[in-house]
Coordinates of all heavy atoms in Angstrom, one line a residue:
M1413 N -113.4 130.8 -99.8 CA -113.1 132.1 -100.3 C -114.0 132.5 -101.5 O -114.2 131.7 -102.4 CB -111.6 132.0 -100.8 CG -111.0 133.4 -100.9 SD -109.3 133.3 -101.6 CE -109.6 134.0 -103.2
S1414 N -114.6 133.6 -101.4 CA -115.4 134.0 -102.5 C -114.7 135.0 -103.4 O -114.1 136.0 -103.0 CB -116.7 134.7 -102.0 OG -116.4 135.9 -101.4
E1415 N -114.8 134.7 -104.7 CA -114.1 135.6 -105.7 C -115.1 136.6 -106.2 O -116.2 136.3 -106.5 CB -113.6 134.7 -106.9 CG -112.2 135.0 -107.2 CD -111.7 133.9 -108.2 OE1 -112.5 133.2 -108.8 OE2 -110.5 133.9 -108.4
Q1416 N -114.6 137.8 -106.3 CA -115.5 138.9 -106.8 C -115.5 138.8 -108.3 O -114.4 138.7 -109.0 CB -115.0 140.3 -106.4 CG -116.0 141.3 -106.3 CD -115.5 142.6 -105.9 OE1 -114.4 142.8 -105.4 NE2 -116.2 143.7 -106.2
L1417 N -116.7 138.8 -108.9 CA -116.8 138.7 -110.4 C -117.4 140.0 -110.9 O -118.1 140.7 -110.3 CB -117.7 137.5 -110.7 CG -117.3 136.1 -110.4 CD1 -118.4 135.1 -110.7 CD2 -116.0 135.7 -111.1
F1418 N -117.0 140.3 -112.2 CA -117.6 141.4 -112.9 C -117.9 140.9 -114.3 O -117.3 140.0 -114.8 CB -116.8 142.6 -112.8 CG -115.6 142.7 -113.7 CD1 -115.7 143.6 -114.8 CD2 -114.5 142.0 -113.4 CE1 -114.6 143.6 -115.6 CE2 -113.4 142.1 -114.3 CZ -113.4 142.9 -115.4
V1419 N -118.8 141.6 -114.9 CA -119.2 141.3 -116.3 C -118.3 142.1 -117.2 O -118.2 143.3 -117.1 CB -120.6 141.6 -116.6 CG1 -121.0 141.3 -118.1 CG2 -121.6 140.9 -115.7
C1420 N -117.6 141.4 -118.1 CA -116.7 142.0 -119.1 C -117.5 142.9 -120.1 O -118.5 142.4 -120.6 CB -115.9 141.0 -119.8 SG -114.9 141.6 -121.2
N1421 N -117.1 144.1 -120.3 CA -117.7 145.0 -121.3 C -117.6 144.5 -122.7 O -118.4 144.9 -123.5 CB -117.1 146.4 -121.2 CG -117.6 147.1 -120.0 OD1 -118.6 146.8 -119.4 ND2 -116.8 148.1 -119.6
K1422 N -116.6 143.7 -123.0 CA -116.4 143.3 -124.3 C -117.1 142.0 -124.7 O -117.8 141.9 -125.7 CB -114.9 143.2 -124.6 CG -114.6 143.2 -126.1 CD -113.2 143.3 -126.4 CE -112.9 143.4 -127.9 NZ -111.5 143.1 -128.2
C1423 N -116.8 140.9 -123.9 CA -117.3 139.6 -124.3 C -118.6 139.2 -123.5 O -119.2 138.2 -123.8 CB -116.2 138.6 -124.1 SG -115.7 138.2 -122.4
G1424 N -118.9 140.0 -122.4 CA -120.1 139.7 -121.6 C -120.0 138.5 -120.7 O -121.0 138.2 -120.0
N1425 N -118.8 137.9 -120.6 CA -118.6 136.8 -119.6 C -118.4 137.3 -118.2 O -117.8 138.4 -118.1 CB -117.5 136.0 -120.1 CG -117.8 135.1 -121.2 OD1 -118.9 134.5 -121.3 ND2 -116.9 135.0 -122.2
Y1426 N -118.7 136.5 -117.2 CA -118.3 136.8 -115.9 C -116.8 136.5 -115.7 O -116.4 135.4 -116.2 CB -119.1 136.1 -114.9 CG -120.5 136.7 -114.6 CD1 -121.6 136.3 -115.3 CD2 -120.6 137.7 -113.6 CE1 -122.8 136.9 -115.1 CE2 -121.8 138.3 -113.4 CZ -122.9 137.9 -114.2 OH -124.1 138.5 -113.9
T1427 N -116.1 137.3 -115.1 CA -114.6 137.1 -115.0 C -114.2 137.5 -113.6 O -114.8 138.5 -113.0 CB -113.9 137.8 -116.1 OG1 -112.5 137.6 -115.9 CG2 -114.1 139.3 -116.0
P1428 N -113.3 136.8 -113.0 CA -112.8 137.2 -111.6 C -112.2 138.6 -111.7 O -111.6 139.0 -112.7 CB -111.7 136.2 -111.3 CG -111.9 135.1 -112.3 CD -112.5 135.6 -113.5
L1429 N -112.4 139.3 -110.6 CA -111.9 140.7 -110.6 C -110.4 140.6 -110.1 O -110.2 140.5 -108.9 CB -112.7 141.5 -109.6 CG -112.4 143.0 -109.6 CD1 -112.8 143.6 -110.9 CD2 -113.2 143.7 -108.5
V1430 N -109.5 140.7 -111.1 CA -108.1 140.7 -110.7 C -107.6 142.1 -111.1 O -107.6 142.5 -112.2 CB -107.3 139.7 -111.6 CG1 -105.9 139.6 -111.2 CG2 -107.9 138.3 -111.4
Q1431 N -107.2 142.8 -110.0 CA -106.7 144.2 -110.3 C -105.3 144.2 -110.6 O -104.5 143.5 -109.9 CB -107.0 145.0 -109.0 CG -106.7 146.5 -109.3 CD -107.2 147.5 -108.3 OE1 -108.0 147.1 -107.4 NE2 -106.8 148.7 -108.3
K1432 N -105.0 144.8 -111.7 CA -103.6 144.9 -112.2 C -103.2 146.3 -112.4 O -104.1 147.2 -112.5 CB -103.4 144.1 -113.5 CG -103.7 142.6 -113.4 CD -103.3 142.0 -114.7 CE -103.3 140.5 -114.6 NZ -102.9 139.8 -115.8
S1433 N -101.9 146.6 -112.6 CA -101.5 147.9 -112.9 C -100.3 147.9 -113.8 O -99.5 147.0 -113.8 CB -101.2 148.8 -111.7 OG -100.1 148.2 -111.0
D1434 N -100.3 148.8 -114.7 CA -99.2 149.0 -115.7 C -98.6 150.4 -115.5 O -99.3 151.3 -115.2 CB -99.7 148.9 -117.1 CG -99.7 147.5 -117.7 OD1 -99.2 146.6 -117.0 OD2 -100.3 147.4 -118.8
R1435 N -97.3 150.4 -115.9 CA -96.7 151.7 -115.9 C -96.7 152.3 -117.3 O -96.3 151.6 -118.2 CB -95.2 151.6 -115.4 CG -94.9 152.4 -114.2 CD -93.6 152.0 -113.6 NE -93.7 152.1 -112.1 CZ -93.9 153.2 -111.5 NH1 -93.9 154.4 -112.1 NH2 -94.0 153.2 -110.2
L1436 N -97.2 153.5 -117.4 CA -97.2 154.2 -118.7 C -96.1 155.3 -118.7 O -95.6 155.6 -117.6 CB -98.6 154.8 -119.0 CG -99.8 153.8 -118.9 CD1 -101.1 154.6 -119.2 CD2 -99.6 152.7 -120.0
P1437 N -95.8 155.9 -119.8 CA -94.9 157.0 -119.8 C -95.3 158.1 -118.9 O -96.5 158.2 -118.6 CB -94.8 157.4 -121.3 CG -95.3 156.3 -122.1 CD -96.3 155.6 -121.2
D1438 N -94.4 159.0 -118.6 CA -94.7 160.2 -117.7 C -95.1 159.8 -116.3 O -95.9 160.5 -115.7 CB -95.7 161.1 -118.3 CG -95.3 161.7 -119.7 OD1 -94.1 161.9 -119.9 OD2 -96.1 161.8 -120.6
N1439 N -94.6 158.7 -115.8 CA -95.0 158.2 -114.4 C -96.5 158.0 -114.2 O -96.9 158.1 -113.1 CB -94.4 159.2 -113.4 CG -92.9 159.2 -113.3 OD1 -92.3 158.1 -113.3 ND2 -92.3 160.3 -113.2
V1440 N -97.2 157.7 -115.3 CA -98.6 157.4 -115.1 C -98.8 155.9 -114.9 O -98.1 155.1 -115.4 CB -99.4 157.8 -116.4 CG1 -100.8 157.4 -116.4 CG2 -99.3 159.3 -116.6
E1441 N -99.7 155.6 -113.9 CA -100.0 154.2 -113.7 C -101.4 153.9 -114.1 O -102.3 154.7 -113.8 CB -99.8 153.9 -112.2 CG -98.4 153.6 -111.8 CD -98.3 153.5 -110.3 OE1 -99.2 153.0 -109.6 OE2 -97.2 153.8 -109.8
H1442 N -101.6 152.9 -114.8 CA -102.9 152.5 -115.3 C -103.4 151.3 -114.4 O -102.8 150.3 -114.3 CB -102.8 152.0 -116.7 CG -104.1 151.6 -117.4 ND1 -104.2 150.8 -118.5 CD2 -105.4 151.9 -117.0 CE1 -105.4 150.7 -118.8 NE2 -106.2 151.3 -117.9
H1443 N -104.5 151.5 -113.7 CA -105.1 150.5 -112.8 C -106.3 149.9 -113.5 O -107.2 150.7 -113.9 CB -105.4 151.0 -111.4 CG -104.2 151.4 -110.7 ND1 -103.7 150.6 -109.7 CD2 -103.5 152.5 -110.7 CE1 -102.6 151.2 -109.2 NE2 -102.4 152.4 -109.8
Y1444 N -106.3 148.6 -113.7 CA -107.4 148.0 -114.5 C -107.7 146.6 -114.1 O -106.9 146.0 -113.3 CB -107.1 148.0 -116.0 CG -105.8 147.3 -116.3 CD1 -105.9 145.9 -116.7 CD2 -104.6 147.9 -116.2 CE1 -104.7 145.2 -117.0 CE2 -103.4 147.2 -116.5 CZ -103.5 145.9 -116.9 OH -102.3 145.2 -117.2
A1445 N -108.8 146.0 -114.5 CA -109.1 144.6 -114.3 C -109.0 143.9 -115.7 O -109.5 144.5 -116.7 CB -110.4 144.4 -113.7
E1446 N -108.4 142.8 -115.8 CA -108.3 142.1 -117.0 C -109.2 140.9 -117.1 O -109.3 140.1 -116.2 CB -106.8 141.6 -117.2 CG -106.5 141.3 -118.6 CD -105.0 141.0 -118.7 OE1 -104.5 140.0 -118.1 OE2 -104.3 141.8 -119.4
C1447 N -110.0 140.8 -118.2 CA -110.9 139.7 -118.4 C -110.1 138.4 -118.7 O -109.2 138.4 -119.5 CB -111.8 140.0 -119.6 SG -112.9 138.7 -120.0
Q1448 N -110.5 137.4 -117.9 CA -109.8 136.1 -118.1 C -110.2 135.4 -119.4 O -109.5 134.5 -119.8 CB -110.1 135.2 -116.9 CG -109.8 135.8 -115.5 CD -108.3 136.0 -115.3 OE1 -107.6 135.0 -115.2 NE2 -107.8 137.2 -115.3
S1449 N -111.4 135.8 -119.9 CA -111.8 135.1 -121.2 C -111.2 135.8 -122.4 O -110.7 135.1 -123.3 CB -113.3 135.2 -121.3 OG -113.9 134.7 -120.1
C1450 N -111.2 137.1 -122.5 CA -110.8 137.7 -123.8 C -109.6 138.7 -123.6 O -109.1 139.2 -124.6 CB -112.0 138.4 -124.4 SG -112.5 139.9 -123.6
G1451 N -109.2 138.9 -122.4 CA -108.1 139.8 -122.2 C -108.4 141.3 -122.2 O -107.5 142.1 -122.1
Y1452 N -109.7 141.6 -122.3 CA -110.1 143.0 -122.4 C -109.8 143.7 -121.0 O -110.0 143.1 -120.0 CB -111.6 143.1 -122.7 CG -112.1 144.5 -122.6 CD1 -111.9 145.4 -123.7 CD2 -112.9 145.0 -121.5 CE1 -112.4 146.7 -123.7 CE2 -113.4 146.3 -121.5 CZ -113.1 147.1 -122.5 OH -113.6 148.4 -122.5
R1453 N -109.3 144.9 -121.1 CA -109.0 145.6 -119.8 C -110.0 146.7 -119.5 O -110.3 147.6 -120.3 CB -107.6 146.3 -120.0 CG -106.5 145.3 -120.1 CD -105.2 146.0 -120.5 NE -104.1 145.1 -120.5 CZ -102.8 145.5 -120.6 NH1 -102.5 146.7 -120.8 NH2 -101.9 144.6 -120.6
S1454 N -110.6 146.5 -118.3 CA -111.6 147.5 -117.9 C -110.8 148.5 -116.9 O -110.3 148.1 -115.9 CB -112.7 146.9 -117.0 OG -113.4 145.9 -117.8
T1455 N -110.8 149.7 -117.3 CA -110.0 150.7 -116.6 C -110.7 151.1 -115.3 O -111.9 151.4 -115.3 CB -109.8 152.0 -117.4 OG1 -109.0 151.6 -118.6 CG2 -109.1 153.1 -116.6
F1456 N -110.0 151.1 -114.1 CA -110.5 151.6 -112.9 C -110.2 153.1 -112.8 O -111.0 154.0 -112.7 CB -109.9 150.9 -111.7 CG -110.3 149.5 -111.5 CD1 -109.4 148.5 -111.3 CD2 -111.6 149.2 -111.5 CE1 -109.7 147.2 -111.1 CE2 -112.0 147.8 -111.3 CZ -111.1 146.9 -111.2
F1457 N -108.9 153.4 -112.9 CA -108.4 154.8 -112.9 C -107.0 154.8 -113.3 O -106.3 153.8 -113.4 CB -108.6 155.4 -111.5 CG -108.0 154.6 -110.4 CD1 -106.7 154.7 -110.1 CD2 -108.8 153.7 -109.6 CE1 -106.1 154.0 -109.1 CE2 -108.2 153.0 -108.6 CZ -106.9 153.1 -108.3
Y1458 N -106.5 156.0 -113.6 CA -105.1 156.3 -113.9 C -104.6 157.2 -112.7 O -105.3 158.0 -112.2 CB -104.9 157.1 -115.2 CG -105.3 156.3 -116.4 CD1 -106.6 156.4 -116.9 CD2 -104.4 155.5 -117.1 CE1 -107.0 155.7 -118.1 CE2 -104.8 154.8 -118.2 CZ -106.0 154.9 -118.7 OH -106.4 154.3 -119.9
T1459 N -103.3 157.0 -112.4 CA -102.8 158.0 -111.4 C -101.4 158.5 -112.0 O -100.8 157.9 -112.8 CB -102.4 157.3 -110.0 OG1 -101.4 156.3 -110.2 CG2 -103.7 156.7 -109.4
N1460 N -101.0 159.6 -111.5 CA -99.7 160.2 -111.7 C -99.2 160.7 -110.4 O -99.9 160.6 -109.4 CB -99.8 161.3 -112.8 CG -100.6 162.4 -112.4 OD1 -101.0 162.6 -111.3 ND2 -101.0 163.2 -113.4
P1461 N -97.9 161.1 -110.3 CA -97.4 161.5 -109.0 C -98.2 162.6 -108.3 O -98.3 162.5 -107.1 CB -96.0 162.1 -109.4 CG -95.6 161.4 -110.7 CD -96.9 161.2 -111.4
K1462 N -98.8 163.5 -109.0 CA -99.6 164.5 -108.4 C -100.9 163.9 -107.8 O -101.2 164.2 -106.6 CB -100.0 165.5 -109.5 CG -100.7 166.8 -109.0 CD -101.0 167.7 -110.1 CE -101.8 168.9 -109.7 NZ -102.1 169.7 -110.8
I1463 N -101.5 163.0 -108.5 CA -102.7 162.3 -107.9 C -102.3 161.4 -106.7 O -103.0 161.4 -105.7 CB -103.4 161.5 -109.0 CG1 -104.0 162.4 -110.1 CG2 -104.5 160.6 -108.4 CD1 -104.5 161.7 -111.3
K1464 N -101.2 160.8 -106.8 CA -100.7 159.9 -105.7 C -100.5 160.7 -104.5 O -100.8 160.3 -103.4 CB -99.5 159.2 -106.1 CG -99.8 157.9 -106.8 CD -98.7 156.9 -106.6 CE -98.0 156.6 -108.0 NZ -96.9 155.7 -107.9
A1465 N -99.9 161.9 -104.7 CA -99.6 162.8 -103.5 C -101.0 163.2 -102.9 O -101.1 163.2 -101.6 CB -98.8 164.0 -103.9
L1466 N -101.9 163.5 -103.7 CA -103.3 163.9 -103.2 C -103.9 162.7 -102.5 O -104.6 162.9 -101.5 CB -104.2 164.4 -104.4 CG -103.9 165.8 -104.9 CD1 -104.6 166.0 -106.2 CD2 -104.2 166.9 -103.9
L1467 N -103.8 161.5 -103.1 CA -104.4 160.3 -102.4 C -103.8 160.1 -101.1 O -104.5 159.7 -100.1 CB -104.2 159.1 -103.3 CG -105.1 159.0 -104.5 CD1 -104.6 157.9 -105.5 CD2 -106.5 158.6 -104.1
N1468 N -102.5 160.3 -101.0 CA -101.8 160.1 -99.7 C -102.3 161.1 -98.7 O -102.5 160.8 -97.5 CB -100.3 160.3 -100.0 CG -99.5 159.5 -99.0 OD1 -100.0 158.4 -98.5 ND2 -98.4 160.0 -98.6
Q1469 N -102.5 162.3 -99.1 CA -103.0 163.4 -98.3 C -104.4 163.1 -97.8 O -104.7 163.3 -96.6 CB -103.0 164.7 -99.1 CG -102.5 165.9 -98.4 CD -102.6 167.1 -99.3 OE1 -102.3 167.1 -100.5 NE2 -103.2 168.2 -98.8
Q1470 N -105.2 162.6 -98.7 CA -106.6 162.2 -98.4 C -106.6 161.1 -97.4 O -107.5 161.1 -96.5 CB -107.3 161.8 -99.7 CG -108.8 161.6 -99.6 CD -109.3 160.6 -100.6 OE1 -108.6 159.6 -100.9 NE2 -110.5 160.8 -101.0
K1471 N -105.7 160.1 -97.6 CA -105.7 159.0 -96.7 C -105.4 159.4 -95.2 O -105.9 158.8 -94.3 CB -104.6 158.0 -97.1 CG -104.9 156.6 -96.8 CD -103.9 155.6 -97.4 CE -102.5 155.7 -96.7 NZ -101.5 154.9 -97.4
N1472 N -104.6 160.5 -95.1 CA -104.2 160.9 -93.8 C -105.1 162.0 -93.2 O -104.8 162.6 -92.2 CB -102.8 161.4 -93.8 CG -101.8 160.3 -94.1 OD1 -101.9 159.2 -93.6 ND2 -100.8 160.6 -95.0
T1473 N -106.2 162.3 -93.9 CA -107.1 163.3 -93.5 C -108.3 162.6 -92.8 O -108.9 161.6 -93.4 CB -107.6 164.1 -94.7 OG1 -106.4 164.7 -95.3 CG2 -108.5 165.3 -94.2
P1474 N -108.8 163.0 -91.7 CA -109.9 162.4 -91.0 C -111.2 162.4 -91.9 O -111.4 163.4 -92.6 CB -110.1 163.2 -89.7 CG -108.9 164.0 -89.6 CD -108.3 164.2 -90.9
F1475 N -112.0 161.4 -91.7 CA -113.3 161.3 -92.4 C -114.2 162.5 -92.0 O -114.1 163.0 -90.9 CB -114.0 160.0 -92.1 CG -113.5 158.9 -92.9 CD1 -112.6 157.9 -92.4 CD2 -113.8 158.7 -94.3 CE1 -112.1 156.9 -93.1 CE2 -113.3 157.7 -95.0 CZ -112.4 156.8 -94.4
L1476 N -115.2 162.7 -92.9 CA -116.2 163.7 -92.6 C -115.7 165.1 -92.2 O -116.2 165.8 -91.4 CB -117.1 163.2 -91.4 CG -117.8 161.9 -91.6 CD1 -118.5 161.4 -90.4 CD2 -118.8 162.0 -92.8
T1477 N -114.6 165.5 -92.9 CA -114.1 166.8 -92.8 C -114.2 167.5 -94.1 O -114.2 166.8 -95.2 CB -112.6 166.8 -92.3 OG1 -111.9 166.1 -93.3 CG2 -112.5 166.3 -90.9
K1478 N -114.3 168.8 -94.1 CA -114.3 169.6 -95.4 C -113.1 169.3 -96.2 O -113.2 169.3 -97.4 CB -114.3 171.1 -95.0 CG -115.7 171.6 -94.5 CD -116.6 172.0 -95.7 CE -118.0 172.3 -95.2 NZ -119.0 171.7 -96.0
K1479 N -112.0 169.2 -95.5 CA -110.7 168.9 -96.3 C -110.8 167.6 -97.0 O -110.4 167.6 -98.2 CB -109.5 168.9 -95.3 CG -108.2 169.0 -96.0 CD -107.0 168.9 -95.0 CE -105.7 168.8 -95.7 NZ -104.6 168.4 -94.9
K1480 N -111.3 166.6 -96.4 CA -111.4 165.3 -97.0 C -112.3 165.4 -98.3 O -112.0 164.9 -99.3 CB -112.0 164.3 -96.0 CG -112.0 162.9 -96.6 CD -110.9 162.1 -95.9 CE -111.0 160.6 -96.2 NZ -109.8 159.9 -95.7
E1481 N -113.4 166.1 -98.1 CA -114.4 166.3 -99.1 C -113.7 167.0 -100.3 O -113.9 166.6 -101.5 CB -115.5 167.1 -98.6 CG -116.9 166.9 -99.3 CD -117.9 167.8 -98.5 OE1 -118.2 167.4 -97.4 OE2 -118.3 168.8 -99.1
R1482 N -113.0 168.0 -100.0 CA -112.3 168.8 -101.0 C -111.3 168.0 -101.8 O -111.2 168.0 -103.0 CB -111.6 170.1 -100.4 CG -111.0 171.0 -101.4 CD -110.5 172.3 -100.7 NE -109.5 172.0 -99.7 CZ -108.2 171.6 -99.9 NH1 -107.8 171.5 -101.2 NH2 -107.4 171.4 -98.9
L1483 N -110.5 167.2 -101.0 CA -109.5 166.4 -101.6 C -110.1 165.3 -102.5 O -109.6 165.0 -103.6 CB -108.6 165.7 -100.6 CG -107.6 166.6 -99.9 CD1 -107.0 165.9 -98.6 CD2 -106.4 166.9 -100.8
T1484 N -111.2 164.7 -102.1 CA -111.9 163.7 -102.9 C -112.3 164.3 -104.2 O -112.1 163.6 -105.3 CB -113.1 163.1 -102.1 OG1 -112.6 162.6 -100.8 CG2 -113.8 162.0 -102.8
K1485 N -112.9 165.5 -104.2 CA -113.3 166.1 -105.4 C -112.2 166.4 -106.3 O -112.2 166.3 -107.5 CB -114.1 167.4 -105.1 CG -115.5 167.2 -104.7 CD -116.3 168.5 -104.6 CE -117.6 168.3 -104.0 NZ -118.1 169.5 -103.3
E1486 N -111.1 166.9 -105.7 CA -109.9 167.3 -106.5 C -109.3 166.1 -107.1 O -108.9 166.1 -108.3 CB -108.9 168.0 -105.5 CG -108.0 169.0 -106.2 CD -107.1 169.7 -105.2 OE1 -107.6 170.0 -104.1 OE2 -106.0 169.9 -105.6
I1487 N -109.2 165.0 -106.4 CA -108.6 163.7 -107.0 C -109.5 163.3 -108.1 O -109.0 162.9 -109.2 CB -108.6 162.6 -105.9 CG1 -107.5 163.0 -104.9 CG2 -108.3 161.3 -106.5 CD1 -107.5 162.3 -103.5
K1488 N -110.8 163.3 -108.0 CA -111.7 162.8 -109.0 C -111.5 163.7 -110.3 O -111.4 163.1 -111.4 CB -113.1 162.9 -108.6 CG -114.0 162.2 -109.6 CD -115.5 162.2 -109.1 CE -116.3 161.4 -110.2 NZ -116.1 162.0 -111.6
K1489 N -111.4 165.0 -110.1 CA -111.2 165.9 -111.2 C -109.9 165.6 -111.9 O -109.9 165.5 -113.2 CB -111.2 167.3 -110.7 CG -111.4 168.4 -111.8 CD -111.3 169.8 -111.2 CE -110.0 170.3 -111.6 NZ -109.3 171.3 -111.0
H1490 N -108.8 165.4 -111.2 CA -107.5 165.1 -111.8 C -107.6 163.7 -112.5 O -107.0 163.6 -113.6 CB -106.4 165.1 -110.8 CG -106.0 166.5 -110.3 ND1 -105.6 167.4 -111.2 CD2 -106.0 167.1 -109.1 CE1 -105.4 168.6 -110.5 NE2 -105.6 168.3 -109.2
M1491 N -108.2 162.8 -111.9 CA -108.3 161.4 -112.5 C -109.1 161.5 -113.8 O -108.7 160.8 -114.8 CB -108.9 160.4 -111.6 CG -108.0 159.9 -110.5 SD -108.9 158.7 -109.4 CE -107.5 158.1 -108.5
D1492 N -110.2 162.2 -113.8 CA -111.0 162.3 -115.0 C -110.2 163.0 -116.1 O -110.3 162.6 -117.3 CB -112.3 163.2 -114.7 CG -113.3 162.3 -113.9 OD1 -113.1 161.1 -113.8 OD2 -114.3 162.9 -113.4
E1493 N -109.5 164.1 -115.8 CA -108.7 164.8 -116.8 C -107.6 163.9 -117.4 O -107.4 163.9 -118.6 CB -108.0 166.0 -116.1 CG -108.9 167.2 -116.0 CD -108.3 168.4 -115.2 OE1 -107.1 168.3 -115.0 OE2 -109.0 169.3 -114.9
L1494 N -106.9 163.2 -116.5 CA -105.9 162.3 -116.9 C -106.4 161.2 -117.8 O -105.8 160.9 -118.9 CB -105.2 161.7 -115.7 CG -103.9 160.8 -116.0 CD1 -102.8 161.7 -116.6 CD2 -103.4 160.2 -114.6
R1495 N -107.5 160.6 -117.4 CA -108.1 159.6 -118.2 C -108.6 160.1 -119.6 O -108.3 159.4 -120.6 CB -109.4 159.0 -117.5 CG -110.0 157.9 -118.2 CD -111.1 157.2 -117.4 NE -111.6 156.1 -118.1 CZ -112.2 155.1 -117.6 NH1 -112.5 155.0 -116.3 NH2 -112.7 154.1 -118.3
N1496 N -109.2 161.3 -119.6 CA -109.6 161.8 -120.9 C -108.4 162.1 -121.8 O -108.4 161.8 -123.0 CB -110.3 163.2 -120.7 CG -111.7 162.9 -120.2 OD1 -112.3 161.9 -120.4 ND2 -112.3 163.9 -119.5
K1497 N -107.3 162.6 -121.2 CA -106.1 162.9 -121.9 C -105.5 161.6 -122.6 O -105.2 161.6 -123.7 CB -105.1 163.6 -121.0 CG -103.9 164.1 -121.7 CD -103.0 164.8 -120.7 CE -101.6 165.1 -121.2 NZ -100.7 163.9 -120.9
I1498 N -105.4 160.6 -121.7 CA -104.8 159.3 -122.2 C -105.7 158.6 -123.3 O -105.2 158.2 -124.3 CB -104.5 158.4 -121.0 CG1 -103.4 159.0 -120.2 CG2 -104.2 157.0 -121.5 CD1 -103.3 158.3 -118.8
E1499 N -107.0 158.6 -123.0 CA -107.9 157.9 -123.9 C -108.2 158.6 -125.2 O -108.7 158.0 -126.1 CB -109.1 157.4 -123.1 CG -108.8 156.4 -122.1 CD -109.9 155.8 -121.3 OE1 -111.1 156.3 -121.5 OE2 -109.7 154.9 -120.6
S1500 N -107.9 159.9 -125.2 CA -108.1 160.6 -126.5 C -106.9 160.6 -127.4 O -106.9 161.1 -128.5 CB -108.6 162.0 -126.2 OG -107.5 162.8 -125.6
E1501 N -105.8 160.1 -126.9 CA -104.6 160.1 -127.7 C -104.5 158.9 -128.7 O -105.1 157.9 -128.5 CB -103.3 160.0 -126.8 CG -102.8 161.3 -126.4 CD -101.8 161.3 -125.2 OE1 -101.4 160.2 -124.8 OE2 -101.5 162.4 -124.7
Ligands
ZN1386 ZN1 -114.0 139.6 -121.9

């Protein structure tokens, strides 16, 4: 079994990629990887019910369609907005 490793932004050590998630207020979920050496959390993305609904819609949309493309852009936009909002607080 090969473990996926990534370099921690904080301590610079290689650490196994363990994806975790936490529940934040307002039904927001924080998805991140936690460094095994220093405990630093590298954020993958945040979701909320609206983004989850979009992700679900995207999953059920065939590849290489305009709709899929539009949903992907929309999800990215919402995720970026949510992340900016949370990280600026
Ligand atoms: Zn670290």
Side-chain angles (χ1 to χ4, degrees):
M1413 202 185 108
S1414 68
E1415 229 169 14
Q1416 206 183 343
L1417 295 174
F1418 78 107
V1419 179
C1420 173
N1421 285 336
K1422 196 172 184 199
C1423 68
N1425 285 317
Y1426 280 93
T1427 180
L1429 189 65
V1430 183
Q1431 190 167 348
K1432 293 187 171 184
S1433 64
D1434 268 352
R1435 239 166 217 293
L1436 303 178
D1438 300 327
N1439 289 316
V1440 172
E1441 280 174 28
H1442 182 199
H1443 293 261
Y1444 60 91
E1446 196 172 66
C1447 175
Q1448 304 292 292
S1449 306
C1450 73
Y1452 176 78
R1453 293 169 174 189
S1454 303
T1455 298
F1456 292 130
F1457 53 84
Y1458 294 93
T1459 63
N1460 60 16
K1462 191 176 173 184
I1463 293 171
K1464 272 205 247 178
L1466 286 168
L1467 282 168
N1468 207 33
Q1469 224 182 312
Q1470 187 208 36
K1471 208 174 76 187
N1472 294 318
T1473 305
F1475 280 104
L1476 303 170
T1477 57
K1478 286 270 174 228
K1479 193 183 172 194
K1480 187 105 170 171
E1481 207 176 291
R1482 185 175 58 75
L1483 283 168
T1484 304
K1485 277 187 192 157
E1486 209 175 322
I1487 290 163
K1488 190 178 180 308
K1489 196 183 104 205
H1490 286 302
M1491 280 181 170
D1492 286 349
E1493 277 174 12
L1494 186 61
R1495 183 172 182 160
N1496 285 338
K1497 186 173 165 272
I1498 290 166
E1499 293 186 350
S1500 66
E1501 269 167 10

